[in-house]
């Protein structure tokens, strides 16, 4: 299997991270980006591609914090785990929003749950990548309008 691009991997990891944080909300959890990345690495990805994707996982957490979707405490330098990670009000509002252009479930959280259920069954296939891209595009483009409407 061909290794995903950084953007494809970011989209999948973001959905998985949002789902974990939504399920634990309001209780913060610890997140190990390497473990999260490993759970979505395609079989037979190694070497430079593996290192690239593990790096993308760390940068995914940093991006989501910088954009105001999540917050976290310190990072443990010994294992790279971020402590006390939780959704911000912006992240929670996006997860609870009802995206008309998306299919099926009534909220973004439901869409993510359904899509990640497909990943658990079949792995990250092209249809799942398209679904992830659609959800991430919705999240990133609608976050400001959702925040101003609340």
């Amino acid at each position: 299997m061909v290794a995903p691009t950084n953007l494809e991997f970011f989209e999948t990891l973001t959905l998985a991270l949002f789902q974990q944080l939504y399920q634990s909300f309001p209780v913060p959890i610890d997140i190990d980006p390497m473990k999260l990345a490993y759970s979505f690495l395609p079989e037979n990805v190694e070497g430079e591609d593996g290192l690239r994707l593990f790096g993308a996982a760390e940068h995914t957490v940093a991006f989501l914090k910088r954009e105001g979707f999540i917050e976290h405490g310190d990072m443990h330098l010994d294992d790279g785990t971020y402590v006390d990670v939780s959704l911000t009000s912006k992240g929670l509002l996006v997860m609870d929003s009802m995206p008309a252009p998306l299919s099926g479930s009534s909220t973004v959280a439901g869409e993510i749950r359904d899509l990640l259920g497909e990943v658990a069954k079949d792995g990250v296939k092209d249809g799942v990548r398209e679904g992830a891209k659609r959800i991430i595009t919705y999240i990133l483009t609608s976050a400001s309008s959702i925040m101003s409407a609340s």
Side-chain angles (χ1 to χ4, degrees):
M1 176 177 265
V2 176
T5 66
N6 287 351
L7 184 58
E8 290 168 338
F9 205 59
F10 162 81
E11 291 165 348
T12 303
L13 291 177
T14 297
L15 298 183
L17 183 57
F18 274 21
Q19 181 183 39
Q20 287 180 17
L21 295 173
Y22 187 76
Q23 289 173 341
S24 72
F25 192 84
V27 179
I29 60 175
D30 295 348
I31 297 291
D32 181 344
M34 298 306 115
K35 284 183 183 175
L36 185 63
Y38 187 76
S39 65
F40 290 99
L41 277 179
E43 292 179 16
N44 302 322
V45 171
E46 53 189 39
E48 288 184 28
D49 280 335
L51 290 174
R52 175 179 57 81
L53 295 175
F54 281 123
E58 289 181 358
H59 290 287
T60 295
V61 173
F63 174 82
L64 294 173
K65 180 177 182 180
R66 188 172 57 248
E67 293 299 314
F69 290 103
I70 66 171
E71 58 187 10
H72 61 73
D74 293 334
M75 181 183 77
H76 289 158
L77 296 178
D78 57 336
D79 67 358
T81 298
Y82 290 91
V83 297
D84 295 332
V85 183
S86 64
L87 291 172
T88 62
S89 57
K90 179 179 180 177
L92 183 63
L93 285 170
V94 168
M95 291 294 285
D96 282 338
S97 68
M98 294 182 211
L102 301 180
S103 63
S105 298
S106 59
T107 65
V108 169
E111 290 285 332
I112 291 172
R113 181 194 61 240
D114 295 348
L115 191 64
L116 291 178
E118 290 179 37
V119 170
K121 253 186 341 191
D122 300 326
V124 181
K125 306 281 188 206
D126 286 340
V128 171
R129 285 188 176 132
E130 287 302 314
K133 182 177 183 172
R134 189 177 69 250
I135 294 169
I136 293 299
T137 298
Y138 171 81
I139 289 170
L140 295 177
T141 58
S142 64
S144 61
S145 63
I146 290 170
M147 289 298 292
S148 63
S150 61

